[in-house]
């Protein structure tokens, strides 16, 4: 052994598959080694070692240190105790050349093991092709080396950002998005953020357009509309007429096709002919008319047509006794049902009232649809502004303007702020949204606007809220589809969650790259480890002790799993997810407090009418009603 | 709106006043922006004159005026 080589740390004593056990030399007693004036700690979990084999260098990562890493047989006592390292081989590089994953040969007994110096690290982590990589921070072990991720792999092979609350997830995402939307490097980048808590609007304000269900006009927010007629039949059934099985669905599908054909005849649309219309074709039709027809089918009662044949009937409306006219014949657009007389099977034949012919037996679902059509919370779907079809199925705007707003705007990032959406409809809304976008990009795959030519990254914040294992809702189905097929068509997703164990494992395992922040919960950790497509699971043992803002990045976007200190964005570009402060810092007698609230400041005058007003408006944006009389000057 | 930046304050980044709607806007150094309602011009002038804006806010505005985060 060449004494004096400061990079030497030990020799290979045991090789088992990709696992190598290394006995450290007696010389590195201090576990601190100096190479070219830089200090390196020997035997840190997660650090790298180099094993030169002729013309190639094998690289491995240290996963275990000490007695447990020793081979399982009686060992004689060594002067310095159990100085063993367990190393997982990860790749190889030619001398001074490129690093590649995978090894072509294995080390053997007594091969020497060296520290990986900064120079070696640069070769490993350095960019192959500068355009492909963005820096997200720097290596936790070497501040001078940027940590680069390959955005080709990051975007299209999907990714996940997981970590406990407060581990720096949102900041990481904001940092990544800031890097990806850099106008000088990627002027055509395209990112869509599903922002459940409304955190990102401030962080990305100069690069994003914000859509909200209740838009705040003063902040240039756009209204978020998702026309129901852009959904597929199955999804629309799920949202509008929940609980209808296949047999009863087909007559409804027939009615919808008929309505779509009628609408198309009134207002022809490029790309679809009357005979090609299917129930899934995204052309407008009046769902109000559908409801009206179904309501009549289910609830109507009939009387024999006076003077007609025995088979002829007419609707048995409730009649106004004074005029003899129907009290209420109903109106589709205002969701007013017609009123029918109750069934009467006795008395003379002309007075008998019978049920209408051939009901489908879905009265309950039709009533449910009516209440959804009236519900303002579903307005984004069933009364989608300029995309609301009138009774003939005409709309003032078509889907192109909708898509252009979402993914074709001037800013690279679109934030769909879903913070105002009631949780009961969140799942359907997200499902509908993803599905509309994916379909559009899928079919436009040969166009410059499509996903292949201009890929789209979808960021799914708080994904556990709508991607539960138990949740087979529309959102989960849409996400699964993107997870499975998206990469071929340039639609990538980034799943962000603090509870990875609650996310369907088929979704998580499709994420090619995982940014694992601090994760303390055992179940969550297990879930992430099993989803990671890497053989370096030992690295995940570090998850509970990561610092805030530190992440282990594993998977396809990085050449090697890397422990990274994520570069936080500038202070005014951080997401608005800071926890409320119970006690604020500061002093009323000196320079005041860092914020206006907190338990350690005097109470404010309360006004719970304002509280209730916000609640009823279902909108956090407060509009103050000024007091009439000017307040006398305080103090 | 008249806007005053206060780099010398340790907590407050700046503040401004809109006389027509009587709203005092305060931006904290941590990025939070708040509107205080029904604030008279006199109070704003007093705040401009105060040697420590943070202290003035904590002592004379906090508890007196309703506020909301923007």
């Amino acid at each position: 052994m060449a004494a004096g080589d400061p990079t030497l740390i030990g020799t290979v004593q045991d090789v088992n598959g990709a696992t190598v056990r290394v006995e450290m030399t007696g010389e590195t007693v201090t576990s601190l080694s100096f190479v070219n004036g830089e200090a390196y700690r020997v035997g840190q979990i997660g650090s790298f070692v180099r094993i030169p084999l002729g013309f190639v260098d094998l690289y491995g990562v240290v996963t275990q240190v000490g007695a447990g890493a020793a081979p399982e047989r009686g060992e004689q006592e060594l002067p310095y105790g159990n100085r063993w390292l367990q190393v997982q081989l990860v790749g190889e590089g030619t001398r001074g050349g490129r690093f590649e994953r995978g090894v072509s040969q294995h080390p053997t007994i007594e091969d020497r093991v060296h520290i990986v110096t900064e120079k070696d690290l640069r070769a490993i982590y350095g960019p192959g092709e500068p355009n492909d990589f963005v820096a997200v921070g720097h290596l936790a072990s070497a501040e001078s080396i940027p940590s680069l991720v390959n955005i080709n792999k990051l975007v299209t092979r999907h990714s996940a950002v997981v970590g406990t609350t407060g581990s720096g997830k949102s900041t990481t995402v904001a940092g990544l998005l800031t890097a990806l939307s850099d106008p000088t490097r990627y002027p055509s980048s395209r990112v869509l953020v599903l922002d459940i808590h409304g955190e990102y609007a401030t962080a990305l304000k100069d690069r994003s357009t914000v859509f909200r269900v209740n838009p705040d006009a003063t902040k240039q927010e756009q209204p978020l509309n998702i026309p129901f007629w852009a959904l597929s039949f199955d999804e629309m059934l799920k949202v509008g007429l929940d609980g209808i099985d296949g047999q009863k669905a087909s007559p409804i599908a027939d009615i919808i096709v008929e309505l779509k054909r009628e609408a198309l005849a009134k207002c022809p649309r490029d790309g679809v002919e009357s005979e090609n219309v299917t129930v899934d074709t995204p052309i407008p039709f009046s769902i109000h008319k559908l409801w009206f027809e179904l309501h009549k089918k289910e609830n109507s009662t009939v009387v024999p047509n006076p003077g007609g044949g025995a088979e002829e009937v007419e609707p048995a409306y409730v009649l106004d006794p004074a005029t003899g006219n129907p009290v209420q014949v109903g109106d589709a657009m205002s969701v007013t049902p017609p009123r029918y007389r109750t069934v009467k099977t006795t008395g003379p034949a002309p007075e008998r009232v019978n049920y209408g012919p051939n009901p489908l037996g879905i009265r309950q679902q039709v009533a449910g649809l009516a209440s959804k059509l009236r519900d303002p919370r579903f307005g984004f779907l069933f009364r989608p502004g300029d995309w609301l079809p009138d009774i003939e199925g005409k709309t003032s705007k078509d889907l192109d303007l909708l898509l252009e707003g979402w993914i074709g705007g001037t800013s690279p990032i679109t934030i769909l702020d879903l913070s105002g959406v009631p949780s009961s409809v969140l799942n359907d809304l997200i499902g509908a949204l993803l599905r509309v976008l994916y379909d559009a990009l899928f079919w436009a795959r040969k166009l410059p606007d499509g996903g292949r030519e201009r890929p789209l990254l979808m960021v799914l914040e708080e994904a556990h809220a709508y991607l539960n294992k138990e949740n087979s809702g529309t959102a989960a189905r849409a996400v699964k589809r993107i997870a499975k097929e998206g990469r071929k068509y340039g639609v990538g997703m980034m799943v962000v969650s603090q509870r990875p164990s609650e996310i369907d494992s088929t979704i998580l395992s499709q994420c090619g790259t995982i940014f694992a922040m601090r994760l303390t919960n055992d179940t969550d950790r297990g879930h992430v480890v099993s989803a990671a497509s890497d053989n370096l699971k030992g690295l995940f043992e570090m998850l509970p002790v990561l610092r805030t803002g530190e992440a282990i990045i594993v998977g396809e976007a990085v050449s090697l799993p890397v422990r990274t200190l994520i570069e936080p964005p500038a202070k005014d570009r951080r997401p608005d997810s800071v926890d409320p402060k119970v006690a604020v810092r500061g002093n009323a007698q000196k320079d005041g407090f860092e914020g206006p609230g907190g338990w350690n400041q005097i109470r404010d005058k309360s006004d719970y009418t304002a509280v209730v007003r916000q609640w009823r408006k279902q909108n956090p944006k407060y509009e103050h009603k000024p007091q009439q009389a000017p307040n006398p000057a305080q103090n | 709106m008249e806007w005053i930046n206060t780099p010398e304050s340790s907590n407050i980044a700046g503040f401004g006043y809109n006389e027509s709607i009587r709203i005092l806007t305060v931006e904290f150094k941590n990025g939070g922006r708040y509107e205080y309602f029904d604030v008279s011009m006199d109070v704003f002038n007093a705040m401009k004159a105060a040697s420590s804006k943070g202290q003035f806010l904590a002592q004379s505005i906090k508890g007196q005026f309703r506020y909301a985060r923007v």
Side-chain angles (χ1 to χ4, degrees), chain A residues 127 244 620:
Chain A
I244 289 186

Side-chain angles (χ1 to χ4, degrees), chain A residues 164-475:
Chain A
T164 316
T165 324
S167 59
K169 273 192 318 293
S170 320
T171 315
T172 300
V173 174
L176 266 172
L177 295 186
T178 310
L180 292 178
S181 64
D182 184 343
T184 55
R185 287 195 73 191
Y186 305 111
S188 294
S189 64
R190 171 148 78 165
V191 181
L192 183 91
V193 183
L194 296 188
D195 187 1
I196 307 289
H197 294 314
E199 295 172 340
Y200 291 99
T202 44
L204 302 164
K205 55 182 171 250
D206 53 342
R207 293 188 186 170
S208 64
T209 316
V210 178
F211 284 80
R212 266 168 68 89
V213 169
N214 301 312
D216 182 346
T218 61
K219 292 185 183 169
Q220 279 97 44
E221 293 175 348
Q222 310 281 321
L224 176 59
N225 288 309
I226 304 163
F228 61 89
W229 47 267
L231 304 188
S232 73
F233 178 58
D234 279 351
E235 278 152 350
M236 212 195 56
L237 270 193
K238 193 100 192 5
V239 180
L241 291 156
D242 200 10
I244 289 186
D245 57 22
Q247 207 180 359
K248 285 172 180 164
S250 40
I252 300 174
D254 292 344
I255 300 176
I256 293 178
V257 171
E258 201 46 49
L259 288 172
K260 284 187 171 174
R261 285 215 175 109
E262 281 170 27
L264 196 65
K266 294 255 165 46
C267 178
R269 290 182 196 270
D270 256 354
V272 55
E273 301 297 331
S274 177
E275 56 269 26
N276 302 338
V277 172
T278 70
V279 72
D280 294 325
T281 313
I283 55 172
F285 72 98
S286 173
I287 197 163
H288 293 83
K289 193 167 178 186
L290 172 72
W291 163 78
F292 197 64
E293 296 301 322
L294 289 176
H295 183 89
K296 285 199 286 191
K297 221 173 168 53
E298 293 306 298
N299 296 283
S300 71
T301 56
V302 291
V303 288
N305 188 354
E311 294 300 308
E312 288 181 44
V313 290
E314 62 176 31
Y317 292 118
V318 174
L319 300 178
D320 186 339
T323 60
N325 290 329
V327 175
Q328 187 171 309
V329 293
D331 174 51
M333 290 317 281
S334 64
V335 203
T336 319
R339 286 181 63 191
Y340 295 106
R341 276 177 262 166
T342 47
V343 169
K344 182 172 173 239
T345 49
T346 55
E351 285 176 21
R352 283 189 196 164
V353 181
N354 286 304
Y355 284 115
N358 311 323
L360 299 170
I362 54 167
R363 194 184 277 204
Q364 202 185 335
Q365 286 89 344
V366 173
L369 176 62
S371 69
K372 279 177 185 160
L373 294 184
R374 289 190 211 104
D375 189 340
R377 292 179 306 168
F378 281 90
F380 69 90
L381 192 65
F382 292 124
R383 290 194 176 273
D386 292 330
W387 291 274
L388 169 68
D390 64 8
I391 194 85
E392 292 185 331
K394 274 193 222 153
T395 55
S396 49
K397 287 187 183 170
D398 203 354
L399 286 178
D400 54 331
L401 291 168
L402 186 82
L403 291 170
E404 192 166 347
W406 286 352
I407 52 174
T410 46
S411 27
I413 301 177
T414 304
I415 296 175
L416 303 181
D417 182 340
L418 307 175
S419 58
V421 178
S423 55
S424 53
V425 301
L426 188 67
N427 195 312
D428 295 329
L429 184 149
I430 290 172
L433 236 161
L434 295 181
R435 135 101 199 175
V436 168
L437 280 172
Y438 183 72
D439 265 10
L441 292 176
F442 172 81
W443 290 109
R445 58 187 180 266
K446 299 201 168 163
L447 303 179
D449 324 280
R452 281 194 73 92
E453 303 298 321
R454 193 181 166 205
L456 172 72
L457 172 65
M458 295 183 178
V459 179
L460 310 178
E461 253 292 318
E462 302 285 332
H464 54 273
Y466 46 90
L467 299 179
N468 283 349
K469 269 181 247 168
E470 302 83 41
N471 208 329
S472 53
T474 35

Side-chain angles (χ1 to χ4, degrees), chain A residues 557-569:
Chain A
V558 283
S559 43
L560 268 187
V562 50
R563 184 170 173 180
T564 296
L565 207 51
I566 303 277
E567 179 96 41

Side-chain angles (χ1 to χ4, degrees), chain A residues 6-291:
Chain A
T7 63
L8 182 72
I9 51 177
T11 52
V12 173
Q13 296 297 333
D14 183 63
V15 182
N16 183 6
T19 307
V20 175
R21 290 198 169 90
V22 177
E23 188 186 10
M24 292 166 78
T25 63
E27 289 165 25
T28 49
V29 188
T30 57
S31 78
L32 196 66
S33 191
F34 289 89
V35 181
N36 295 334
E38 297 255 6
Y40 293 91
R41 289 192 72 82
V42 177
Q44 289 284 300
I45 299 274
S47 67
F48 288 95
V49 297
R50 182 170 61 92
I51 307 172
L53 281 187
F55 289 112
V56 297
D57 283 335
L58 299 180
Y59 289 96
V61 60
V62 176
T63 53
Q64 200 177 5
V65 179
E72 292 169 8
R73 60 190 155 78
E75 271 298 325
Q76 76 270 37
E77 284 295 310
L78 292 164
Y80 302 110
N82 281 304
R83 298 177 52 80
W84 289 88
L85 299 178
Q86 185 173 308
V87 172
Q88 291 283 335
L89 294 176
V90 287
E92 64 185 22
T94 47
R95 281 284 155 80
R98 282 190 53 204
F99 172 84
E100 273 173 19
R101 292 294 289 269
V103 291
S104 58
Q105 47 190 323
H106 281 82
T108 47
I109 315 286
E110 293 295 332
D111 277 338
R112 300 183 216 164
V113 180
H114 293 265
I115 284 176
V116 167
T117 59
E118 266 196 46
K119 191 169 137 259
D120 301 327
L121 279 178
R122 276 185 198 284
I124 296 177
Y125 287 112
E129 179 66 43
N131 275 346
D132 295 358
F133 289 87
V134 290
V136 293
H138 53 78
L139 301 193
S141 55
E143 285 208 6
S144 60
I145 300 178
S147 176
L148 301 166
V149 295
N150 181 330
I151 71 165
N152 282 330
K153 301 280 172 60
L154 177 74
V155 173
T156 56
R157 300 286 174 87
H158 314 305
S159 57
V161 180
V162 296
T164 316
T165 324
S167 59
K169 273 192 318 293
S170 320
T171 315
T172 300
V173 174
L176 266 172
L177 295 186
T178 310
L180 292 178
S181 64
D182 184 343
T184 55
R185 287 195 73 191
Y186 305 111
S188 294
S189 64
R190 171 148 78 165
V191 181
L192 183 91
V193 183
L194 296 188
D195 187 1
I196 307 289
H197 294 314
E199 295 172 340
Y200 291 99
T202 44
L204 302 164
K205 55 182 171 250
D206 53 342
R207 293 188 186 170
S208 64
T209 316
V210 178
F211 284 80
R212 266 168 68 89
V213 169
N214 301 312
D216 182 346
T218 61
K219 292 185 183 169
Q220 279 97 44
E221 293 175 348
Q222 310 281 321
L224 176 59
N225 288 309
I226 304 163
F228 61 89
W229 47 267
L231 304 188
S232 73
F233 178 58
D234 279 351
E235 278 152 350
M236 212 195 56
L237 270 193
K238 193 100 192 5
V239 180
L241 291 156
D242 200 10
I244 289 186
D245 57 22
Q247 207 180 359
K248 285 172 180 164
S250 40
I252 300 174
D254 292 344
I255 300 176
I256 293 178
V257 171
E258 201 46 49
L259 288 172
K260 284 187 171 174
R261 285 215 175 109
E262 281 170 27
L264 196 65
K266 294 255 165 46
C267 178
R269 290 182 196 270
D270 256 354
V272 55
E273 301 297 331
S274 177
E275 56 269 26
N276 302 338
V277 172
T278 70
V279 72
D280 294 325
T281 313
I283 55 172
F285 72 98
S286 173
I287 197 163
H288 293 83
K289 193 167 178 186
L290 172 72
W291 163 78

Side-chain angles (χ1 to χ4, degrees), chain A residues 219 571 576 581 585-598 601-608 610-611 620-627 629-635, chain B residues 8-12 21-23 28-32 34-40 42-43 46 51-70:
Chain A
K219 292 185 183 169
K571 214 169 181 189
D576 187 11
K581 284 265 171 72
R585 292 195 190 140
N587 187 335
Q589 309 308 323
K590 287 186 183 153
D591 207 10
F593 292 93
E594 59 176 343
Q601 293 204 61
I602 54 168
R603 283 275 297 275
D604 284 295
K605 291 186 284 186
S606 49
D607 178 7
Y608 282 84
V611 173
K621 162 82 184 159
Y622 177 73
E623 274 159 36
H624 186 67
K625 295 196 170 150
Q627 292 168 6
N631 237 14
Q634 310 281 337
N635 284 21
Chain B
E8 74 282 1
S9 170
S10 51
N11 290 312
I12 291 169
I21 49 174
R22 294 162 50 79
I23 287 178
F28 285 84
K29 288 239 156 114
N30 62 17
Y34 296 83
E35 286 181 344
Y36 291 81
F37 305 106
D38 308 312
V39 178
S40 72
D42 298 343
V43 175
S51 59
S52 167
K53 316 298 178 203
Q55 186 186 41
F56 182 83
L57 189 80
Q59 291 184 352
S60 308
I61 292 181
K62 170 73 180 172
Q64 306 286 343
F65 299 98
R66 291 281 300 172
Y67 69 87
R69 194 177 172 132
V70 179

